[in-house]
Amino acid sequence: NFSVASLIASILYLGTHLSFAVLKNIYISLIIHLISTELFMLFIAYMTHGMHWYLYLILPFIFILWIYVMLVTYLIKRKKGEFLKRLSVGLLFSGLTVIAVEACIDLFRFNFINYNWSFYAALPITIISTLTFILSYNKRIVDEMRQRMFF
């Protein structure tokens, strides 16, 4: 029965969120959550006979976003390095993620990549990332920011 199977799948999916509370290693919890999200969406695709959208849109889309989440989590958890440098790398990853998401959507819709909107979104992010990286080397500005922002 569809409703019983969806209820069981939902409970199992929500149960994977307990790994964040139980496991000390955040990266293992994120991988468990990634796999559970992909499997839950696979279940929905199978039950609705929509394997095409799952394989060519949802699977790569979720994978791209979780790579981004893993990289940003690593940058946040990492204590080595200056905050502004880590922020600039995180912003650069944001711009690359936007471009990868558009590529994923275009491949699903048109079977080829036609970059349109992602460069308009990624360009200001990349400029801010570059400026943040350059500012991180100016010790006077960094010290001023620390005093004003209570770093």
Side-chain angles (χ1 to χ4, degrees):
N1 190 354
F2 180 73
S3 59
V4 173
S6 62
L7 178 66
I8 292 170
S10 299
I11 290 170
L12 289 174
Y13 174 71
L14 292 174
T16 61
H17 287 79
L18 293 175
S19 66
F20 288 103
V22 174
L23 298 174
K24 300 247 187 235
N25 190 339
I26 188 77
Y27 304 108
I28 293 174
S29 297
L30 286 171
I31 290 171
I32 289 170
H33 196 262
L34 165 66
I35 293 169
S36 69
T37 303
E38 294 283 8
L39 290 174
F40 186 64
M41 294 305 291
L42 175 65
F43 170 75
I44 292 171
Y46 176 75
M47 294 303 279
T48 60
H49 305 290
M51 292 304 289
H52 177 73
W53 63 264
Y54 172 77
L55 292 174
Y56 297 107
L57 181 64
I58 298 299
L59 186 71
F61 186 77
I62 292 173
F63 189 71
I64 289 167
L65 291 179
W66 277 98
I67 287 174
Y68 173 73
V69 167
M70 292 286 278
L71 290 171
V72 169
T73 302
Y74 174 74
L75 288 172
I76 290 171
K77 299 286 274 177
R78 186 175 168 209
K79 299 297 180 195
K80 287 176 64 176
E82 295 177 20
F83 173 74
L84 288 176
K85 289 179 185 171
R86 291 185 289 155
L87 177 66
S88 69
V89 172
L91 287 170
L92 182 64
F93 286 144
S94 298
L96 293 174
T97 301
V98 168
I99 292 170
V101 164
E102 185 185 16
C104 177
I105 293 169
D106 284 350
L107 283 173
F108 176 72
R109 290 185 68 206
F110 310 118
N111 289 332
F112 65 92
I113 298 173
N114 183 20
Y115 292 113
N116 289 318
W117 58 268
S118 64
F119 285 121
Y120 296 113
L123 183 64
I125 294 171
T126 305
I127 291 171
I128 292 170
S129 171
T130 305
L131 290 175
T132 306
F133 190 76
I134 291 169
L135 283 176
S136 71
Y137 283 101
N138 190 331
K139 185 162 176 50
R140 187 176 56 89
I141 292 176
V142 171
D143 289 339
E144 185 73 25
M145 287 174 63
R146 281 193 178 134
Q147 288 176 353
R148 293 183 188 265
M149 296 172 61
F150 305 107
F151 260 130

